[in-house]
Structures are given as C-alpha cells and as structure tokens.
Amino acid sequence: MASSLSKELHFLLIPLMSQSHIIPLTDFAKLLAFHGVNVSIITTPLNAQKYKSIVTHAMKSNLKIQLIPLHFPSQEVGLPQGCENMDTLNSLELFKDFFLASEMMQEPLEKLIQELEPKPSCIISTSPLTWTQQVATKFKIPRYIFQTVSCFTLYCFHILNQTKLQDTLVLDSDSFLIPNVPHKIEFTKAQLPFDSSKQSSQGHMKSILDKIRKTQDLARGTLINTCGELENWYVDSYKKAVKKVFCVGPVSLCNKEMDEMVDRGNKASIDEHSNCLNWLDSMKPKSVIYACFGTLSNISFLQMKEIGLGLESSNVPFIWIIRGLNLTLEVEKWLRDENFEEKVKGRGMIIRGWAPQILILSHSAVGGFLTHCGWNSTLEGISCGVPMITFPMFAEQFYNEKFIVNVLKIGVRVGVEVSTISWNEEKNGVLVNKDQIKKAIDELMDKDLEGEDRRERAKELAHISKKAIEEEGSSYLNIKLLIEDVMHALNDKDGEANNVATINKSKHSNTDAMTLKVKDPPLIRITMTEDE
C-alpha cells in the first residue's frame, strides 16, 4: 500500500524515442504507479497517439499516469517529417541525426519542468539520453538511469572497458573469453557490437557509449529490467562496479489482461481474436514456432528467403512476423511467386506488421521462439517459459545469445557468426541458410532428454520471473526501495537548503558560526491534492 509521502511524489520518465525503450519504460511507469506515485512520461505527438491506450488502461485501474508530448525536431536536423521514432529510420546512418534531435529536446523539457505542478521529484531516463543528467542537475533533482539491457551484458561491457581485451583482436575470426565469470563466454571480433574503425555511424554509437559511461557516476542509481534471481551472480558483481543498482523487472509482466497485451506498442496488424488466437487454439500444446526479429532489424531479401524456406522445410507449425523494413516489394513478390502461404496453409501463418508478442508467446500452443535476441524479446520469451532459437544481428544481441544459451541453457544457436554492423552490409548474402534454420528448429522442438530439460528450465524461469514482480517479490521490493531512495534524496536536498539558510542567518547574529547547531532536515513537502 502506498504511503502518504509516496503519493506526493512525481516521477518524470524520459525514454529514447524507440520501441525498445518506450515500451519497457512505459511498462515500468505502470509498476511505479501501482505503488501510488504520480508518473509523467515525456514523449512526442506521434508517439503519444501510439501509446495513449496504455494511459486509458491505467486510468481504469486508477493509476496516476500521463503522457506529455514535446515537439521532436526531426526536420530541423534533416530527418523526414513525422520521423519521431527510431523504428521509422531506413538507414543506420540516420542514427546520428536522430540522437541530435533527441538532444535538442533539452530546452523545451526544461521549460516544461518549470511549469509542471507538482514539480518532478526525480528523472528516470533510458541510458542513451545522457543530456537528461544536465537537466536533473539544473533542477537539483536526482536522476536514475533505466537500462534496457541485462546485468549480464552490463557486467561484460564493464569488464571489457577495464581490460580492453577486444583491442588485441586483429582478424574478425579472432576470439577471446570474458575473464573471471562463472560461465564460458566467448566472443569473436566479428560479434562485437561497435567497431569505430569500420564506419562513421559505428564510431558515433561508440561515442554515445562513452558518454553513457561518463555520466554513470553522476546518476543517483541504475534501474535494470531484470530480476536478481535470473542472473544473480552478474547482478551481485555489477552492484560492486556501480552504485545503487535496482533490478525492477521483467517489467512486461505488469500486463496481465488481454487488452493490455494487445495494445502494448503499435496496433496489431491482424484481428488478434478471430485470426491468430483461434489459429493457435487449433494447435497442439508446445507445437508452434513463433518467429519475430524485432523492429530495427533490416534483413536482406536473400536472408528473408532462407528464413521462409527454413520454416517451410521444418514441417513444424509456425507464425512468422514480417515487419516494416523487411516487408519489401521484393519479399512480397517472392511470397507470391513461390505460392508460399498456400504451401504452408493450415500449418504456417504470416503476420505483416506488428503483432501482440506477449499474447502469442503466452499461448499454450507456442513451444519455441526464433528471435533476434533483443533484450525485451529475450525477457518476454523467458517470462512466458518459451525456449528460444537465437538469431542475433547487431548491438548487444550476441551477448543476449550467450546469456540464453550458455547461462540459462534454454536456447539453441542458429549459427550466426557475424554482426550486421551496417543494415546494408548483408544485402548480397545471408547470415544463415535454410538448412541451419531447419536444424535449429528440429533441435529445439526435439522430445529427447536435452529438449525436455530445456523446456523444464524455461518453465521454472518463467515461474521465477513472475514471482519477482508480484507483491513482496524481489523486483516489487526494489521498486519500493527506489521510491524510498527518491524520498531520501529530496529530504537531503531540503536539509541542505535548510542548513544553508541557518548558516546565512548566523552571519547577521552574534552567534559564533563555529558553534552553530544544524537544524534537522524537514519532511518532504510537495504540493498535491489527493484527487490530482
């Protein structure tokens, strides 16, 4: 139950304008609001329209959440009109301009904060928005970093930043082991996410990582979308490396009702109830492969063909999501010329565009997840108890593959060996062929002892994840600790202000400043009525 003080708190949440950041931070907003605090999410006009249904669901539950849209200066930096989300970018080269536009939101955000009532008690922003630290410092409120990657990844990054092992690699095939960790974690140079020597865009991404590291110590704490029970050794180790770590996930588990799962993110591209769910209802338990590769993956036409042919030749029922940049005229023509959907009719389903991923993964018919290993998708697979086929492409996705396969032991590698550093780099080739995809599906769905062990571990991890987010679970308690930490930060600030006032007063009295007794810091006072 929320205390009277927590009801007075106002949390300001600021995500990078990307699905992979907006969705988990919005989920976290709901978890915060369950504790009685007031939450405002900074967004842009188009994103506000996209996510307004989340606020509608929250209001039904009497949660105090609001979206506040700010102008996103896309055209001012040369981006197309209406480009307010990274999912709409058609080239990795545009990332630099997108981040510049994000930085230009600082001034309007500062003007908004001056007008907001009640005043924000803290800022929680996703890690790439390092400029929000300047805003927090200006208004003398604490800032917390919300990480959209795992503790495993963060700790591996930390080790590499200290040891510089990657700098010793010459050839793409050169490999190294992450030292002093309890699992065998091996990478090649070709699997590492950002190599500034190859492309200017990658150099820019590396500079963003450098900024994130530099502002880490300025933040009051770090929130991570995970739970301690999933990766306890890495959580404990990362806590020794940075101050105040709060594991608050998996945040997607805040969505319990069907309409919450359906409306999370873009509007689904099909009638979820009459098509997809009815089709799944007709399938045997744990028999279906769900294939989805996220919102930012730009897969070559040749690779798309291999994925389709691999799914077809597996003879396993499947749902294949083809989104945005991958749904090209070339792909549509191939599907039509091959008569693909007719060939797999009754056994396979293609969904063009967005799909309600959690709703599908949580269905009893789904027995495997062919995934690009984005952390949100990885956590959703874990939370739903679904074993995974790992198909990483870029960023930290190879780290997530190692976590799924080597640490949790609930996954099978499809065999990707090279990071797609540029969206266009693989246009004339493939990462894996249809035979590799079929082999991975066969292995994952096999009923042998190894397959059964994998399914049992996945089931147990789902139970652990759900327990963490429930009342008195580890993540639930960490959110309470976070709220208390914000209270302490505000209390300390008020105390400092009070101390300064006392000392200033002493300058105009006959009291010896050296013998002044500092007043006790006052309780938090934030103006807000109960019904606001």
Side-chain angles (χ1 to χ4, degrees), residues 53-87:
S53 59
I54 294 173
V55 175
T56 302
H57 293 307
M59 289 174 64
K60 290 179 182 177
S61 303
N62 296 317
L63 301 180
K64 298 175 182 178
I65 300 178
Q66 64 174 339
L67 295 172
I68 303 178
L70 293 179
H71 170 67
F72 189 77
S74 52
Q75 289 183 283
E76 289 90 324
V77 299
L79 292 171
Q81 183 178 3
C83 180
E84 298 180 12
N85 195 300
M86 284 179 69
D87 306 349

Side-chain angles (χ1 to χ4, degrees), residues 480-494:
K480 287 184 70 173
L481 289 174
L482 168 66
I483 293 169
E484 290 173 11
D485 193 64
V486 173
M487 290 180 180
H488 286 310
L490 295 174
N491 213 8
D492 291 344
K493 184 182 75 170
D494 287 348

Side-chain angles (χ1 to χ4, degrees), residues 7-36:
K7 288 180 180 179
E8 297 175 340
L9 296 177
H10 183 190
F11 284 63
L12 192 62
L13 274 54
I14 312 171
L16 177 69
M17 297 302 150
S18 169
Q19 295 279 80
S20 59
H21 288 240
I22 297 172
I23 290 178
L25 199 61
T26 305
D27 284 341
F28 179 63
K30 292 169 67 175
L31 291 173
L32 270 175
F34 286 143
H35 289 263

Side-chain angles (χ1 to χ4, degrees), residues 218-252:
L218 298 175
R220 184 171 174 93
T222 301
L223 318 181
I224 305 176
N225 185 15
T226 189
C227 64
E229 295 86 342
L230 273 184
E231 40 179 341
N232 52 3
W233 190 92
Y234 296 95
V235 170
D236 291 343
S237 298
Y238 192 62
K239 282 182 176 180
K240 296 172 185 175
V242 301
K243 62 184 179 183
K244 291 191 179 181
V245 172
F246 301 86
C247 295
V248 296
V251 297
S252 62

Side-chain angles (χ1 to χ4, degrees), residues 431-448:
L431 297 170
V432 293
N433 60 43
K434 63 179 181 180
D435 293 331
Q436 290 173 282
I437 293 167
K438 179 184 182 301
K439 181 182 177 183
I441 292 173
D442 290 343
E443 185 177 346
L444 190 81
M445 304 300 280
D446 202 321
K447 304 295 184 184
D448 64 4

Side-chain angles (χ1 to χ4, degrees), residues 269-305:
S269 303
I270 61 166
D271 184 333
E272 301 84 11
H273 302 88
S274 63
N275 282 353
C276 182
L277 293 185
N278 285 346
W279 184 85
L280 283 169
D281 288 341
S282 69
M283 295 294 160
K284 294 178 181 179
K286 307 298 180 187
S287 66
V288 175
I289 286 285
Y290 172 68
C292 183
F293 301 94
T295 54
L296 291 178
S297 302
N298 190 352
I299 305 171
S300 72
F301 165 62
L302 293 177
Q303 183 61 75
M304 290 292 288
K305 280 176 58 178

